[in-house]
Structures are given as C-alpha cells and as structure tokens.
Amino acid sequence: MIYFDNAATSWPKPPGVSEAMVRFLEEVGANPGRAAHGRAVEAGRIVYEAREAVCELFQAPDPLRVVWSKNVTEALNLALRGLLRSGDHVVTSSMEHNSVMRPLRALERRGVEVTVVQCSPQGVLDPAGVERAIRPHTRLVALNHGSNVVGTLLPVAEVGTICRQHGVLLLVDAAQTGGAYPINVQSDQIDLFGFTGHKSLGGPMGTGGLIVGERVNEREMEPLMRGGTGSHSEYELQPDFLPDVYESGTLNAVGLAGLQAGVRWVLEEGVDAIRAHEVALTRQLIEGLRSLPGVTVYGSLDAELQIATVSFNVTGIEPSEVGLRLDEEYGILCRVGLHCSPAAHKTIGTFPAGTVRFGLNGFNTMDEVESALAAVEELAREAQ
Ligand SMILES: Cc1ncc(COP(=O)(O)O)c(C=O)c1O
C-alpha cells in the first residue's frame, strides 16, 4: 500500500505519538485544570507542554496565547466569527478552503463585506492584489498558506508586512504547512495563526488550535462557546483572559498528549530537513507526471514554490475513476474531486470535476513515487 493522502490526514504518525496517548489513558487519565490532585496536575502539565512545543515550532512567544480547538476549521471560525462585525471588510484569496470561504459567505449575509483576490491559474497570489483590495474599513486579511489543491505557497510574510502598514490583522490558515514548511509567526507578522494537529504536525485527529498574537485583543474577539473552564468558577460570566476565554469544556488532553509527541518529533527531525526531503519527492513527482503523455499537472510546477501536494488529471478518465483504479489495482491511496475547495478549482480551471491529488509527506519515499508514476503511466496509456 502506498499512502498518498497526507493532505487529508497524515499516516503513519511519528514514533512516540500513539505511546504518548496510551500513556495518558493508562497512567494519567484525569481532567486538566479541573482539580488539584496529582493526576489532574500531571494532565495540566502535559497540556501546557503541548502549548510550549507549538510555540517552539512556530516561534510564538507566549504558550498562554495558544488556544486549543478540535481542528483548524474551528480555529478559523473562532477568528472569523469572533472578530468580524457588520460593516467590517475582509480580504481573502481565491485559493481558500471552505473552512474560510463558508464562514465568510455566512458573515457576508450578516453585513460583512468580503473581497476575494483572484490568484493566477497556477494558484499564485500577487501580494500587490491584496494591498489594492484593502480599504479604510478592512479589519482582516485571511489567507491559506499552502494550497491543499495544487500545493502553491501563498506569500504570507509579504502580506504580513502590507497588513502592518495598513493597520489590518492577518489570519493564516496553516493547515497544510504547519510542520512541513518553516514558519515564524513573529517575523512573518501573523496575528492569528490556525493549525491542525492531524496533518504534518503528526498528531491525532481532534487536535488543532489558534495562536492569538499580541495585536489581537481577547476582549474584542468573541468566543465561539462559553462554559466551564476550571478557572474563576465563582462567576457566571466567561473569564476574559487567554486561553480560558476560548477554551470552554473539557480539553482533548489525550489528543494533545499525542500532538505534543508529534510536534516534538518534527522539532527533532527539523522542519528544514523534512522540507528538503519533501521538495525532492515533489520535484520527482512533478517531473515524472509531466513527462507522461495524456497527463496534465496543475500548479506552479516548481517544487521549491510549493508543498508536497500535487494535482493532476488523466485525459479521457474522470478523476474519480483514476482514484478508484489506483486504489483497487495498485494499492495507491489518494484523494480525488474538489478537496473542499471549489474556489481553488475554479481558479485553476478544474471545476466541477476536480483533480486527482497526491498528498505526500516526509514518510514517503522515492521508490513509492516511482511506483505511482508507473501506475499513472499505465492508466494514461490505456485511456489513449
Ligand atoms: C488549507 C486547509 N484549510 C483547512 C482545512 C481543514 O482542516 P481540518 O479538517 O483539520 O479542520 C484543510 C484540510 O484539508 C486544509 O487543507
């Protein structure tokens, strides 16, 4: 079996992730922040150390500004729905996932003005287009860092500088880049940074979070939910301090134990080393696919300018059939269709059928890429 569906969720998980989760379940088990006994304190320590690991990876200064969520979708909803009010203007790109587009379209019905900056058919965003879209009442720019359709990297650091110059906040969706591409939230000038635990951070599903920068006032960004936090229980009003203001209800501590192990593994391997291996795999895959008659590859076609996610189509066969045959006849697991990103497919010209997507990560090998290329070559030859 060849697992090329890492853009949806990563597999296998790094060594130590399942062990950390089993250890939590068998040896800790208590609710973090909800009691003073030793096990609860130990659970709280694990959750805090996970915040520290995330800060170390993304160069964020304060672990208490890491807010846990069940995935990046929840983190992005918190930022968008928490900040934007009727009369505000928000700028985004045409390469966004529905986890940004759908909340924005819902907010639009409530009086928030949305501008979608068009990317090129290769999925490339010109930062000048973002600057031109900014108006006096623009509150936020929301950007996908790495496209989950064609892998192109969007220029978040350049947009970060533009946002600071115009007094606008920058929200980044790092679902695809966290753990796979070097990110420094301070030097990239990112105010709100959404990450998901179950992709390149190596953690389990059900983990993710939002790093809330110093320019965001937690008294102005409304929580998505209110409830028990284990703090200030004498009050019926939600605490107004980080992270408790946004973390109501029991945390996924077992998942966070696994996420911490995943992030520690990324830190030990080094993002630069992971990235170098992924660039080599991506280059081999793009060049191999481009050399096949009847195969169209989308995106920048330059491994240095993208992450290890590659979209293609085979002339004469629907993407859904290619995916089915790759699975059933060759044991290659990938994803086909629109990848929850209709806007991105409209941008690259593959809406509504979509594409076949190979999502690679650091655990994949050059031999696997060779085998996959041979399989696609056979399918393409048969279809001609
Ligand atoms: C760019 C991007 N944003 C958001 C998401 C949503 O991630 P999650 O389902 O973990 O919330 C994904 C998932 O594929 C993604 O690729």
Side-chain angles (χ1 to χ4, degrees), residues 6-9 70-76 95-100 144-149 173-177 195-199 205-208 335 339-341 357:
N6 290 286
T9 199
K70 66 176 187 287
N71 46 44
V72 77
T73 302
E74 189 178 55
L76 294 165
M95 291 305 286
E96 301 306 310
H97 188 274
N98 270 345
S99 54
V100 165
N144 187 353
H145 189 195
S147 165
N148 55 306
V149 175
D173 169 4
Q176 294 291 338
T177 49
F195 60 93
T196 210
H198 64 101
K199 300 189 200 266
M205 296 174 195
T207 58
R335 185 168 170 196
H339 318 100
C340 301
S341 305
R357 181 182 78 179

Side-chain angles (χ1 to χ4, degrees), residues 253-325:
V254 61
L256 295 175
L259 176 62
Q260 184 194 163
V263 175
R264 285 279 159 223
W265 180 86
V266 171
L267 284 164
E268 272 158 35
E269 293 290 306
V271 178
D272 289 337
I274 294 170
R275 168 83 186 143
H277 178 53
E278 291 191 7
V279 167
L281 293 173
T282 308
R283 186 174 296 121
Q284 182 195 3
L285 180 59
I286 291 175
E287 284 173 9
L289 286 171
R290 287 185 74 194
S291 72
L292 302 179
V295 174
T296 307
V297 191
Y298 303 95
S300 68
L301 308 180
D302 182 343
E304 298 284 350
L305 302 181
Q306 68 168 83
I307 49 169
T309 296
V310 176
S311 257
F312 64 95
N313 271 319
V314 178
T315 310
I317 328 183
E318 286 297 304
S320 52
E321 197 191 330
V322 175
L324 193 69
R325 292 191 59 190

Side-chain angles (χ1 to χ4, degrees), residues 185-303:
V185 291
Q186 294 182 87
S187 60
D188 290 350
Q189 306 182 85
I190 299 168
D191 298 299
L192 290 149
F193 179 82
F195 60 93
T196 210
H198 64 101
K199 300 189 200 266
S200 292
L201 296 178
M205 296 174 195
T207 58
L210 183 70
I211 301 179
V212 180
E214 307 262 330
R215 294 206 311 154
V216 179
N217 183 343
E218 57 273 21
R219 287 183 191 85
E220 281 175 22
M221 189 169 82
E222 285 277 309
L224 283 180
M225 291 193 303
R226 294 179 175 80
T229 58
S231 55
H232 290 251
S233 297
E234 65 277 27
Y235 296 123
E236 291 186 3
L237 286 176
Q238 186 76 5
D240 61 1
F241 53 85
L242 282 159
D244 298 26
V245 54
Y246 304 120
E247 286 185 354
S248 291
T250 296
L251 291 171
N252 177 11
V254 61
L256 295 175
L259 176 62
Q260 184 194 163
V263 175
R264 285 279 159 223
W265 180 86
V266 171
L267 284 164
E268 272 158 35
E269 293 290 306
V271 178
D272 289 337
I274 294 170
R275 168 83 186 143
H277 178 53
E278 291 191 7
V279 167
L281 293 173
T282 308
R283 186 174 296 121
Q284 182 195 3
L285 180 59
I286 291 175
E287 284 173 9
L289 286 171
R290 287 185 74 194
S291 72
L292 302 179
V295 174
T296 307
V297 191
Y298 303 95
S300 68
L301 308 180
D302 182 343

